[in-house]
Amino acid sequence: GCGGWPAGRRVQAGLLLLGGLLASPRILRADRRPLRVTFVNPGRADEALWRMIELSMQQAAPQLGIALTVAQAGRNRQLMRSEALAALAATPPPDLLLIGNEERSAREVILAAEARGVPCFLLLNDLDAADAEAMGAPRERVRAYLGSLVPDNLAAGRDLAEALLAAARARAGSGTGTNAPAGPGARRRLLAIVGDRVTPSSTLREEGLHQAIAAAGDAEVARVLPGHWSEREAEAAAGRYLAWARAGGVGTDLVWAANDPMAIGALRAFAAAGETPGETVLFGGVNWTTAALDLIAEGRMEVSFGGHLFAGVLALAVLRDWADGRDFATEGGGRLRLPLAPARRDRAAALRRMLEAGPWDRIDAAALTRAARGPDAPALPPLDLLLQRLMPTAAAGR
């Protein structure tokens, strides 16, 4: 199951030779020296999701015997590449490189890491289909491609569309909103706002959306617009779309967005045009941002799918286990998928309080490892383990 790795052996991250050759397999114990990890954060400084991922990782790393270095890439593909290559060129290089695949930036980095003998782990965005076909499964042809931890983006896109449709049907049935097809055979019209057309999290969420709409029978995608993950750009794009749609007498019932900031931008554009968010048009996004949770609690936004703000912490726990000889590749060939959970009005306020409190120092990262959960435990601890620990305090308002 490890492909290109020598049969029956595990090459541990902390024992890489500086010249780029892989060292003899030995187990790196947490009490020997820290595992040196460089994380290239692809997000902008004002992106709540990536900021929370980074803050939580900074808190978790010392608990796991990990020396974490973070480089900022600011949604700049060239900067993602240059920061990763600079880390690989350092003397010594990191024991492990943690990167995303925004705008398909990972392939070149992984190949450079292969030459340097540094394993790469992908966070939130795995290789897309074309690069995966060229490079093979984790460790199959390129040993430096260690594995990945990403949200189940296909399911998230599908579940978000289904949640919006279910809410629209419920409102129409109860007579509490105008969100209903005009007559027999009419379909609800959905505006989709994607991040971009190349990043896997965006393309997979969009694919899930189209699956849900194809299965629904009472809805259609009116338009797919790129919002570039930006609230401002999504607001402008939605405003232009709405002007066009109204000029042609076309209505819009639902707005599906690949992240919360874009959902909020579209919501602002629709509200400025006289629509009533949460009544005449329903909005949904992904990320569990605090701004979205506020809108959900107010009834202006329907739902946000999230939980992947903990992906960085979970990845560090998985990598600690791997370095200590508990390899996650026994499940899914090294590709770990994190299911996302919906935040609706019934728990939006409690989630909001949790995030506002900045609970990162309350995460017992060591308890997330297989060393703590038992050798037969799944490689990836369930999201509920984190939420059960963090939510009671949030729910009590403390």
Side-chain angles (χ1 to χ4, degrees):
C2 292
W5 297 98
R9 297 168 59 183
R10 292 192 183 99
V11 180
Q12 304 306 330
L15 301 171
L16 295 174
L17 294 179
L18 300 183
L21 299 175
L22 294 170
S24 299
R26 293 181 356 212
I27 291 177
L28 173 68
R29 299 201 320 262
D31 60 355
R32 290 185 60 185
R33 70 174 178 85
L35 180 68
R36 293 175 297 107
V37 175
T38 293
F39 167 48
V40 180
N41 185 342
R44 292 184 295 266
D46 63 351
E47 282 188 84
L49 173 66
W50 284 109
R51 188 171 66 252
M52 288 188 288
I53 287 173
E54 180 181 329
L55 288 172
S56 60
M57 290 171 69
Q58 296 279 18
Q59 289 284 344
Q63 301 178 43
L64 296 166
I66 292 174
L68 181 68
T69 300
V70 181
Q72 305 293 340
R75 288 285 177 191
N76 182 316
R77 187 181 190 278
Q78 293 306 315
L79 198 52
M80 294 174 206
R81 171 186 173 277
S82 63
E83 290 288 356
L85 295 180
L88 292 171
T91 303
D95 298 324
L96 194 140
L97 189 60
L98 190 57
I99 59 174
N101 189 30
E102 267 68 12
E103 300 186 29
R104 294 184 67 185
S105 58
R107 181 177 177 180
E108 180 183 358
V109 171
I110 294 173
L111 293 176
E114 175 85 342
R116 189 69 162 130
V118 177
C120 282
F121 188 83
L122 298 184
L123 183 65
L124 286 203
N125 278 296
D126 206 342
L127 297 180
D128 69 352
D131 284 345
E133 182 176 355
M135 298 182 70
R139 314 183 208 179
E140 182 181 27
R141 287 177 233 157
V142 181
R143 292 183 295 176
Y145 177 24
L146 185 66
S148 61
L149 170 56
V150 304
D152 190 339
N153 286 305
L154 184 71
R158 182 177 62 243
D159 293 347
L160 174 57
E162 290 175 350
L164 286 170
L165 285 168
R169 293 174 191 134
R171 286 170 180 269
S174 65
T176 58
T178 59
N179 201 280
R187 296 186 171 193
R188 292 179 174 84
R189 293 178 62 83
L190 180 147
L191 170 63
I193 304 180
V194 298
D196 56 54
R197 308 318 287 265
V198 294
T199 299
S201 62
S202 183
T203 58
L204 285 169
R205 288 172 196 173
E206 182 183 351
E207 184 181 344
L209 158 70
H210 291 297
Q211 286 182 1
I213 295 300
D218 62 347
E220 63 184 26
V221 177
R223 186 72 63 86
V224 177
L225 302 175
H228 305 288
W229 307 107
S230 164
E231 182 175 327
R232 182 178 300 176
E233 292 196 39
E235 181 178 359
R240 290 191 296 269
Y241 163 80
L242 195 53
W244 168 84
R246 285 184 167 180
V250 175
T252 305
D253 304 297
L254 310 167
V255 176
W256 175 106
N259 76 353
D260 286 343
M262 295 190 297
I264 293 168
L267 186 151
R268 184 178 291 116
F270 274 71
E275 296 285 353
T276 305
E279 293 184 19
T280 60
V281 185
L282 303 185
F283 296 80
V286 178
N287 280 9
W288 283 2
T289 61
T290 53
L293 294 172
D294 284 342
L295 290 167
I296 293 169
E298 295 165 6
R300 302 184 69 212
M301 186 165 158
E302 185 62 33
V303 65
S304 174
F305 278 78
H308 50 312
L309 62 95
F310 297 117
V313 170
L314 296 173
L316 292 183
V318 164
L319 294 171
R320 176 76 270 171
D321 277 333
W322 170 77
D324 291 341
R326 301 175 184 89
D327 196 347
F328 59 91
T330 55
E331 297 176 28
R335 293 190 175 111
L336 301 176
R337 295 294 176 264
L338 177 66
L340 299 188
R344 297 187 177 89
R345 197 168 186 177
D346 58 349
R347 71 167 176 172
L351 275 170
R352 172 68 165 85
R353 285 193 294 271
M354 178 193 77
L355 297 177
E356 188 176 38
W360 322 126
D361 59 346
R362 298 204 306 273
I363 296 174
D364 184 353
L368 300 174
T369 63
R370 261 182 173 161
R373 293 183 292 117
D376 297 327
L380 190 64
L383 188 59
D384 284 349
L385 271 184
L386 281 164
L387 293 181
Q388 286 167 7
R389 179 178 176 83
L390 299 173
M391 285 291 285
T393 300
R398 295 197 297 271

PDB file of all heavy atoms in Angstrom, residues 327-360:
ATOM      1  N   ASP A 327       1.511   4.906  10.910  1.00  0.00           N
ATOM      2  CA  ASP A 327       1.334   5.482   9.582  1.00  0.00           C
ATOM      3  C   ASP A 327      -0.139   5.577   9.198  1.00  0.00           C
ATOM      4  O   ASP A 327      -0.868   4.585   9.245  1.00  0.00           O
ATOM      5  CB  ASP A 327       2.081   4.631   8.558  1.00  0.00           C
ATOM      6  CG  ASP A 327       2.287   5.343   7.239  1.00  0.00           C
ATOM      7  OD1 ASP A 327       1.641   6.385   7.026  1.00  0.00           O
ATOM      8  OD2 ASP A 327       3.094   4.868   6.419  1.00  0.00           O
ATOM      9  N   PHE A 328      -0.564   6.751   8.787  1.00  0.00           N
ATOM     10  CA  PHE A 328      -1.947   6.986   8.362  1.00  0.00           C
ATOM     11  C   PHE A 328      -2.229   6.388   6.989  1.00  0.00           C
ATOM     12  O   PHE A 328      -3.389   6.322   6.577  1.00  0.00           O
ATOM     13  CB  PHE A 328      -2.252   8.480   8.338  1.00  0.00           C
ATOM     14  CG  PHE A 328      -1.368   9.270   7.419  1.00  0.00           C
ATOM     15  CD1 PHE A 328      -1.734   9.491   6.101  1.00  0.00           C
ATOM     16  CD2 PHE A 328      -0.160   9.784   7.874  1.00  0.00           C
ATOM     17  CE1 PHE A 328      -0.907  10.211   5.255  1.00  0.00           C
ATOM     18  CE2 PHE A 328       0.670  10.508   7.023  1.00  0.00           C
ATOM     19  CZ  PHE A 328       0.300  10.719   5.708  1.00  0.00           C
ATOM     20  N   ALA A 329      -1.214   5.955   6.257  1.00  0.00           N
ATOM     21  CA  ALA A 329      -1.418   5.437   4.905  1.00  0.00           C
ATOM     22  C   ALA A 329      -2.167   4.116   4.891  1.00  0.00           C
ATOM     23  O   ALA A 329      -2.574   3.654   3.824  1.00  0.00           O
ATOM     24  CB  ALA A 329      -0.075   5.277   4.193  1.00  0.00           C
ATOM     25  N   THR A 330      -2.362   3.518   6.049  1.00  0.00           N
ATOM     26  CA  THR A 330      -3.145   2.285   6.102  1.00  0.00           C
ATOM     27  C   THR A 330      -4.617   2.542   5.803  1.00  0.00           C
ATOM     28  O   THR A 330      -5.382   1.619   5.585  1.00  0.00           O
ATOM     29  CB  THR A 330      -3.017   1.632   7.488  1.00  0.00           C
ATOM     30  OG1 THR A 330      -3.396   2.578   8.494  1.00  0.00           O
ATOM     31  CG2 THR A 330      -1.585   1.179   7.732  1.00  0.00           C
ATOM     32  N   GLU A 331      -5.032   3.832   5.824  1.00  0.00           N
ATOM     33  CA  GLU A 331      -6.422   4.190   5.524  1.00  0.00           C
ATOM     34  C   GLU A 331      -6.452   5.099   4.300  1.00  0.00           C
ATOM     35  O   GLU A 331      -5.786   6.118   4.264  1.00  0.00           O
ATOM     36  CB  GLU A 331      -7.049   4.936   6.700  1.00  0.00           C
ATOM     37  CG  GLU A 331      -7.147   4.114   7.974  1.00  0.00           C
ATOM     38  CD  GLU A 331      -7.695   4.947   9.111  1.00  0.00           C
ATOM     39  OE1 GLU A 331      -8.440   5.889   8.855  1.00  0.00           O
ATOM     40  OE2 GLU A 331      -7.349   4.640  10.253  1.00  0.00           O
ATOM     41  N   GLY A 332      -7.215   4.704   3.302  1.00  0.00           N
ATOM     42  CA  GLY A 332      -7.416   5.568   2.147  1.00  0.00           C
ATOM     43  C   GLY A 332      -6.173   5.835   1.332  1.00  0.00           C
ATOM     44  O   GLY A 332      -6.112   6.820   0.588  1.00  0.00           O
ATOM     45  N   GLY A 333      -5.144   4.999   1.470  1.00  0.00           N
ATOM     46  CA  GLY A 333      -3.938   5.187   0.690  1.00  0.00           C
ATOM     47  C   GLY A 333      -3.206   6.478   0.981  1.00  0.00           C
ATOM     48  O   GLY A 333      -2.438   6.962   0.162  1.00  0.00           O
ATOM     49  N   GLY A 334      -3.439   7.053   2.149  1.00  0.00           N
ATOM     50  CA  GLY A 334      -2.754   8.281   2.514  1.00  0.00           C
ATOM     51  C   GLY A 334      -3.570   9.537   2.288  1.00  0.00           C
ATOM     52  O   GLY A 334      -3.155  10.630   2.665  1.00  0.00           O
ATOM     53  N   ARG A 335      -4.728   9.401   1.675  1.00  0.00           N
ATOM     54  CA  ARG A 335      -5.616  10.548   1.471  1.00  0.00           C
ATOM     55  C   ARG A 335      -6.720  10.519   2.524  1.00  0.00           C
ATOM     56  O   ARG A 335      -7.605   9.666   2.489  1.00  0.00           O
ATOM     57  CB  ARG A 335      -6.234  10.516   0.072  1.00  0.00           C
ATOM     58  CG  ARG A 335      -5.224  10.730  -1.054  1.00  0.00           C
ATOM     59  CD  ARG A 335      -5.966  10.920  -2.382  1.00  0.00           C
ATOM     60  NE  ARG A 335      -5.051  11.252  -3.466  1.00  0.00           N
ATOM     61  CZ  ARG A 335      -4.765  10.433  -4.479  1.00  0.00           C
ATOM     62  NH1 ARG A 335      -5.311   9.230  -4.522  1.00  0.00           N
ATOM     63  NH2 ARG A 335      -3.931  10.812  -5.421  1.00  0.00           N
ATOM     64  N   LEU A 336      -6.653  11.448   3.461  1.00  0.00           N
ATOM     65  CA  LEU A 336      -7.629  11.520   4.540  1.00  0.00           C
ATOM     66  C   LEU A 336      -8.682  12.573   4.198  1.00  0.00           C
ATOM     67  O   LEU A 336      -8.350  13.672   3.751  1.00  0.00           O
ATOM     68  CB  LEU A 336      -6.939  11.876   5.859  1.00  0.00           C
ATOM     69  CG  LEU A 336      -5.842  10.910   6.316  1.00  0.00           C
ATOM     70  CD1 LEU A 336      -5.168  11.428   7.580  1.00  0.00           C
ATOM     71  CD2 LEU A 336      -6.413   9.507   6.544  1.00  0.00           C
ATOM     72  N   ARG A 337      -9.950  12.245   4.427  1.00  0.00           N
ATOM     73  CA  ARG A 337     -11.047  13.150   4.111  1.00  0.00           C
ATOM     74  C   ARG A 337     -11.824  13.512   5.375  1.00  0.00           C
ATOM     75  O   ARG A 337     -12.223  12.638   6.134  1.00  0.00           O
ATOM     76  CB  ARG A 337     -11.993  12.512   3.093  1.00  0.00           C
ATOM     77  CG  ARG A 337     -11.344  12.273   1.727  1.00  0.00           C
ATOM     78  CD  ARG A 337     -11.006  13.585   1.042  1.00  0.00           C
ATOM     79  NE  ARG A 337     -10.301  13.400  -0.223  1.00  0.00           N
ATOM     80  CZ  ARG A 337      -8.993  13.455  -0.369  1.00  0.00           C
ATOM     81  NH1 ARG A 337      -8.222  13.663   0.706  1.00  0.00           N
ATOM     82  NH2 ARG A 337      -8.422  13.304  -1.542  1.00  0.00           N
ATOM     83  N   LEU A 338     -12.025  14.803   5.575  1.00  0.00           N
ATOM     84  CA  LEU A 338     -12.714  15.311   6.755  1.00  0.00           C
ATOM     85  C   LEU A 338     -14.136  15.720   6.386  1.00  0.00           C
ATOM     86  O   LEU A 338     -14.330  16.673   5.629  1.00  0.00           O
ATOM     87  CB  LEU A 338     -11.952  16.520   7.316  1.00  0.00           C
ATOM     88  CG  LEU A 338     -12.565  17.226   8.529  1.00  0.00           C
ATOM     89  CD1 LEU A 338     -12.546  16.286   9.740  1.00  0.00           C
ATOM     90  CD2 LEU A 338     -11.804  18.518   8.841  1.00  0.00           C
ATOM     91  N   PRO A 339     -15.151  15.018   6.914  1.00  0.00           N
ATOM     92  CA  PRO A 339     -16.529  15.431   6.636  1.00  0.00           C
ATOM     93  C   PRO A 339     -16.807  16.793   7.291  1.00  0.00           C
ATOM     94  O   PRO A 339     -16.376  17.052   8.410  1.00  0.00           O
ATOM     95  CB  PRO A 339     -17.372  14.331   7.285  1.00  0.00           C
ATOM     96  CG  PRO A 339     -16.440  13.192   7.531  1.00  0.00           C
ATOM     97  CD  PRO A 339     -15.091  13.798   7.747  1.00  0.00           C
ATOM     98  N   LEU A 340     -17.540  17.656   6.583  1.00  0.00           N
ATOM     99  CA  LEU A 340     -17.913  18.950   7.133  1.00  0.00           C
ATOM    100  C   LEU A 340     -19.327  18.888   7.701  1.00  0.00           C
ATOM    101  O   LEU A 340     -20.161  18.109   7.242  1.00  0.00           O
ATOM    102  CB  LEU A 340     -17.826  20.037   6.064  1.00  0.00           C
ATOM    103  CG  LEU A 340     -16.438  20.258   5.450  1.00  0.00           C
ATOM    104  CD1 LEU A 340     -16.445  21.481   4.544  1.00  0.00           C
ATOM    105  CD2 LEU A 340     -15.379  20.399   6.535  1.00  0.00           C
ATOM    106  N   ALA A 341     -19.583  19.713   8.703  1.00  0.00           N
ATOM    107  CA  ALA A 341     -20.864  19.691   9.411  1.00  0.00           C
ATOM    108  C   ALA A 341     -21.600  21.010   9.206  1.00  0.00           C
ATOM    109  O   ALA A 341     -20.973  22.070   9.106  1.00  0.00           O
ATOM    110  CB  ALA A 341     -20.623  19.457  10.907  1.00  0.00           C
ATOM    111  N   PRO A 342     -22.950  20.967   9.172  1.00  0.00           N
ATOM    112  CA  PRO A 342     -23.711  22.199   8.958  1.00  0.00           C
ATOM    113  C   PRO A 342     -23.893  22.991  10.250  1.00  0.00           C
ATOM    114  O   PRO A 342     -24.111  22.425  11.324  1.00  0.00           O
ATOM    115  CB  PRO A 342     -25.059  21.683   8.450  1.00  0.00           C
ATOM    116  CG  PRO A 342     -25.204  20.326   9.090  1.00  0.00           C
ATOM    117  CD  PRO A 342     -23.815  19.766   9.184  1.00  0.00           C
ATOM    118  N   ALA A 343     -23.796  24.298  10.133  1.00  0.00           N
ATOM    119  CA  ALA A 343     -24.170  25.202  11.232  1.00  0.00           C
ATOM    120  C   ALA A 343     -25.436  25.927  10.795  1.00  0.00           C
ATOM    121  O   ALA A 343     -25.407  26.752   9.883  1.00  0.00           O
ATOM    122  CB  ALA A 343     -23.058  26.203  11.516  1.00  0.00           C
ATOM    123  N   ARG A 344     -26.535  25.552  11.433  1.00  0.00           N
ATOM    124  CA  ARG A 344     -27.812  26.217  11.179  1.00  0.00           C
ATOM    125  C   ARG A 344     -28.150  27.104  12.370  1.00  0.00           C
ATOM    126  O   ARG A 344     -27.357  27.262  13.295  1.00  0.00           O
ATOM    127  CB  ARG A 344     -28.904  25.176  10.929  1.00  0.00           C
ATOM    128  CG  ARG A 344     -28.665  24.314   9.676  1.00  0.00           C
ATOM    129  CD  ARG A 344     -29.857  23.416   9.393  1.00  0.00           C
ATOM    130  NE  ARG A 344     -29.685  22.653   8.176  1.00  0.00           N
ATOM    131  CZ  ARG A 344     -29.102  21.455   8.096  1.00  0.00           C
ATOM    132  NH1 ARG A 344     -28.607  20.889   9.199  1.00  0.00           N
ATOM    133  NH2 ARG A 344     -28.993  20.829   6.947  1.00  0.00           N
ATOM    134  N   ARG A 345     -29.321  27.654  12.361  1.00  0.00           N
ATOM    135  CA  ARG A 345     -29.675  28.654  13.375  1.00  0.00           C
ATOM    136  C   ARG A 345     -29.647  28.088  14.790  1.00  0.00           C
ATOM    137  O   ARG A 345     -29.371  28.810  15.752  1.00  0.00           O
ATOM    138  CB  ARG A 345     -31.060  29.231  13.053  1.00  0.00           C
ATOM    139  CG  ARG A 345     -31.354  30.532  13.772  1.00  0.00           C
ATOM    140  CD  ARG A 345     -32.590  31.207  13.215  1.00  0.00           C
ATOM    141  NE  ARG A 345     -32.780  32.514  13.816  1.00  0.00           N
ATOM    142  CZ  ARG A 345     -33.749  33.352  13.467  1.00  0.00           C
ATOM    143  NH1 ARG A 345     -34.602  33.014  12.504  1.00  0.00           N
ATOM    144  NH2 ARG A 345     -33.874  34.518  14.076  1.00  0.00           N
ATOM    145  N   ASP A 346     -29.901  26.774  14.934  1.00  0.00           N
ATOM    146  CA  ASP A 346     -30.009  26.198  16.274  1.00  0.00           C
ATOM    147  C   ASP A 346     -28.683  26.158  17.029  1.00  0.00           C
ATOM    148  O   ASP A 346     -28.672  26.092  18.256  1.00  0.00           O
ATOM    149  CB  ASP A 346     -30.612  24.784  16.208  1.00  0.00           C
ATOM    150  CG  ASP A 346     -29.803  23.826  15.334  1.00  0.00           C
ATOM    151  OD1 ASP A 346     -28.903  24.304  14.610  1.00  0.00           O
ATOM    152  OD2 ASP A 346     -30.070  22.618  15.377  1.00  0.00           O
ATOM    153  N   ARG A 347     -27.548  26.194  16.337  1.00  0.00           N
ATOM    154  CA  ARG A 347     -26.289  26.182  17.061  1.00  0.00           C
ATOM    155  C   ARG A 347     -25.292  27.236  16.581  1.00  0.00           C
ATOM    156  O   ARG A 347     -24.138  27.244  16.990  1.00  0.00           O
ATOM    157  CB  ARG A 347     -25.639  24.802  17.014  1.00  0.00           C
ATOM    158  CG  ARG A 347     -25.073  24.363  15.694  1.00  0.00           C
ATOM    159  CD  ARG A 347     -24.209  23.128  15.921  1.00  0.00           C
ATOM    160  NE  ARG A 347     -23.691  22.575  14.679  1.00  0.00           N
ATOM    161  CZ  ARG A 347     -22.804  21.594  14.635  1.00  0.00           C
ATOM    162  NH1 ARG A 347     -22.346  21.075  15.754  1.00  0.00           N
ATOM    163  NH2 ARG A 347     -22.371  21.123  13.487  1.00  0.00           N
ATOM    164  N   ALA A 348     -25.763  28.141  15.742  1.00  0.00           N
ATOM    165  CA  ALA A 348     -24.867  29.162  15.208  1.00  0.00           C
ATOM    166  C   ALA A 348     -24.305  30.056  16.314  1.00  0.00           C
ATOM    167  O   ALA A 348     -23.117  30.386  16.317  1.00  0.00           O
ATOM    168  CB  ALA A 348     -25.593  30.002  14.160  1.00  0.00           C
ATOM    169  N   ALA A 349     -25.150  30.447  17.266  1.00  0.00           N
ATOM    170  CA  ALA A 349     -24.690  31.361  18.318  1.00  0.00           C
ATOM    171  C   ALA A 349     -23.645  30.695  19.209  1.00  0.00           C
ATOM    172  O   ALA A 349     -22.655  31.334  19.603  1.00  0.00           O
ATOM    173  CB  ALA A 349     -25.876  31.841  19.149  1.00  0.00           C
ATOM    174  N   ALA A 350     -23.845  29.406  19.519  1.00  0.00           N
ATOM    175  CA  ALA A 350     -22.879  28.703  20.363  1.00  0.00           C
ATOM    176  C   ALA A 350     -21.540  28.542  19.639  1.00  0.00           C
ATOM    177  O   ALA A 350     -20.474  28.725  20.239  1.00  0.00           O
ATOM    178  CB  ALA A 350     -23.430  27.335  20.771  1.00  0.00           C
ATOM    179  N   LEU A 351     -21.593  28.219  18.364  1.00  0.00           N
ATOM    180  CA  LEU A 351     -20.365  28.134  17.584  1.00  0.00           C
ATOM    181  C   LEU A 351     -19.668  29.491  17.509  1.00  0.00           C
ATOM    182  O   LEU A 351     -18.441  29.589  17.629  1.00  0.00           O
ATOM    183  CB  LEU A 351     -20.672  27.638  16.168  1.00  0.00           C
ATOM    184  CG  LEU A 351     -20.761  26.132  15.961  1.00  0.00           C
ATOM    185  CD1 LEU A 351     -21.301  25.824  14.572  1.00  0.00           C
ATOM    186  CD2 LEU A 351     -19.406  25.473  16.155  1.00  0.00           C
ATOM    187  N   ARG A 352     -20.456  30.529  17.350  1.00  0.00           N
ATOM    188  CA  ARG A 352     -19.904  31.882  17.278  1.00  0.00           C
ATOM    189  C   ARG A 352     -19.155  32.227  18.558  1.00  0.00           C
ATOM    190  O   ARG A 352     -18.054  32.787  18.525  1.00  0.00           O
ATOM    191  CB  ARG A 352     -21.041  32.875  17.027  1.00  0.00           C
ATOM    192  CG  ARG A 352     -20.652  34.349  17.109  1.00  0.00           C
ATOM    193  CD  ARG A 352     -19.736  34.693  15.949  1.00  0.00           C
ATOM    194  NE  ARG A 352     -19.598  36.116  15.754  1.00  0.00           N
ATOM    195  CZ  ARG A 352     -18.737  36.903  16.391  1.00  0.00           C
ATOM    196  NH1 ARG A 352     -17.922  36.383  17.296  1.00  0.00           N
ATOM    197  NH2 ARG A 352     -18.673  38.187  16.124  1.00  0.00           N
ATOM    198  N   ARG A 353     -19.755  31.910  19.700  1.00  0.00           N
ATOM    199  CA  ARG A 353     -19.095  32.206  20.984  1.00  0.00           C
ATOM    200  C   ARG A 353     -17.802  31.408  21.119  1.00  0.00           C
ATOM    201  O   ARG A 353     -16.790  31.905  21.626  1.00  0.00           O
ATOM    202  CB  ARG A 353     -20.039  31.900  22.149  1.00  0.00           C
ATOM    203  CG  ARG A 353     -21.137  32.925  22.330  1.00  0.00           C
ATOM    204  CD  ARG A 353     -21.839  32.758  23.667  1.00  0.00           C
ATOM    205  NE  ARG A 353     -22.577  31.503  23.761  1.00  0.00           N
ATOM    206  CZ  ARG A 353     -23.849  31.364  23.385  1.00  0.00           C
ATOM    207  NH1 ARG A 353     -24.510  32.392  22.861  1.00  0.00           N
ATOM    208  NH2 ARG A 353     -24.467  30.210  23.513  1.00  0.00           N
ATOM    209  N   MET A 354     -17.838  30.167  20.662  1.00  0.00           N
ATOM    210  CA  MET A 354     -16.630  29.342  20.729  1.00  0.00           C
ATOM    211  C   MET A 354     -15.494  29.965  19.925  1.00  0.00           C
ATOM    212  O   MET A 354     -14.371  30.096  20.407  1.00  0.00           O
ATOM    213  CB  MET A 354     -16.928  27.945  20.200  1.00  0.00           C
ATOM    214  CG  MET A 354     -15.726  27.007  20.184  1.00  0.00           C
ATOM    215  SD  MET A 354     -16.022  25.499  19.219  1.00  0.00           S
ATOM    216  CE  MET A 354     -15.861  26.133  17.547  1.00  0.00           C
ATOM    217  N   LEU A 355     -15.797  30.376  18.705  1.00  0.00           N
ATOM    218  CA  LEU A 355     -14.759  30.930  17.848  1.00  0.00           C
ATOM    219  C   LEU A 355     -14.280  32.282  18.350  1.00  0.00           C
ATOM    220  O   LEU A 355     -13.097  32.606  18.273  1.00  0.00           O
ATOM    221  CB  LEU A 355     -15.283  31.048  16.416  1.00  0.00           C
ATOM    222  CG  LEU A 355     -15.663  29.729  15.744  1.00  0.00           C
ATOM    223  CD1 LEU A 355     -16.234  29.976  14.360  1.00  0.00           C
ATOM    224  CD2 LEU A 355     -14.467  28.798  15.669  1.00  0.00           C
ATOM    225  N   GLU A 356     -15.198  33.072  18.866  1.00  0.00           N
ATOM    226  CA  GLU A 356     -14.834  34.387  19.386  1.00  0.00           C
ATOM    227  C   GLU A 356     -13.899  34.261  20.582  1.00  0.00           C
ATOM    228  O   GLU A 356     -13.005  35.088  20.791  1.00  0.00           O
ATOM    229  CB  GLU A 356     -16.086  35.167  19.778  1.00  0.00           C
ATOM    230  CG  GLU A 356     -15.816  36.616  20.142  1.00  0.00           C
ATOM    231  CD  GLU A 356     -17.100  37.371  20.426  1.00  0.00           C
ATOM    232  OE1 GLU A 356     -18.011  36.765  21.029  1.00  0.00           O
ATOM    233  OE2 GLU A 356     -17.210  38.541  20.041  1.00  0.00           O
ATOM    234  N   ALA A 357     -14.096  33.196  21.358  1.00  0.00           N
ATOM    235  CA  ALA A 357     -13.262  32.987  22.543  1.00  0.00           C
ATOM    236  C   ALA A 357     -11.846  32.563  22.173  1.00  0.00           C
ATOM    237  O   ALA A 357     -10.950  32.580  23.022  1.00  0.00           O
ATOM    238  CB  ALA A 357     -13.900  31.938  23.456  1.00  0.00           C
ATOM    239  N   GLY A 358     -11.640  32.191  20.903  1.00  0.00           N
ATOM    240  CA  GLY A 358     -10.313  31.736  20.493  1.00  0.00           C
ATOM    241  C   GLY A 358      -9.888  30.531  21.300  1.00  0.00           C
ATOM    242  O   GLY A 358      -8.955  30.605  22.100  1.00  0.00           O
ATOM    243  N   PRO A 359     -10.553  29.391  21.122  1.00  0.00           N
ATOM    244  CA  PRO A 359     -10.376  28.259  22.039  1.00  0.00           C
ATOM    245  C   PRO A 359      -9.137  27.422  21.784  1.00  0.00           C
ATOM    246  O   PRO A 359      -9.028  26.311  22.281  1.00  0.00           O
ATOM    247  CB  PRO A 359     -11.635  27.427  21.767  1.00  0.00           C
ATOM    248  CG  PRO A 359     -11.883  27.633  20.292  1.00  0.00           C
ATOM    249  CD  PRO A 359     -11.483  29.071  20.026  1.00  0.00           C
ATOM    250  N   TRP A 360      -8.194  27.940  20.993  1.00  0.00           N
ATOM    251  CA  TRP A 360      -7.106  27.101  20.538  1.00  0.00           C
ATOM    252  C   TRP A 360      -6.278  26.553  21.691  1.00  0.00           C
ATOM    253  O   TRP A 360      -5.773  25.431  21.620  1.00  0.00           O
ATOM    254  CB  TRP A 360      -6.223  27.879  19.576  1.00  0.00           C
ATOM    255  CG  TRP A 360      -7.002  28.788  18.679  1.00  0.00           C
ATOM    256  CD1 TRP A 360      -6.812  30.129  18.500  1.00  0.00           C
ATOM    257  CD2 TRP A 360      -8.133  28.453  17.865  1.00  0.00           C
ATOM    258  NE1 TRP A 360      -7.747  30.638  17.634  1.00  0.00           N
ATOM    259  CE2 TRP A 360      -8.559  29.629  17.223  1.00  0.00           C
ATOM    260  CE3 TRP A 360      -8.828  27.265  17.609  1.00  0.00           C
ATOM    261  CZ2 TRP A 360      -9.642  29.661  16.345  1.00  0.00           C
ATOM    262  CZ3 TRP A 360      -9.902  27.295  16.749  1.00  0.00           C
ATOM    263  CH2 TRP A 360     -10.300  28.470  16.126  1.00  0.00           C
TER     264      TRP A 360
END
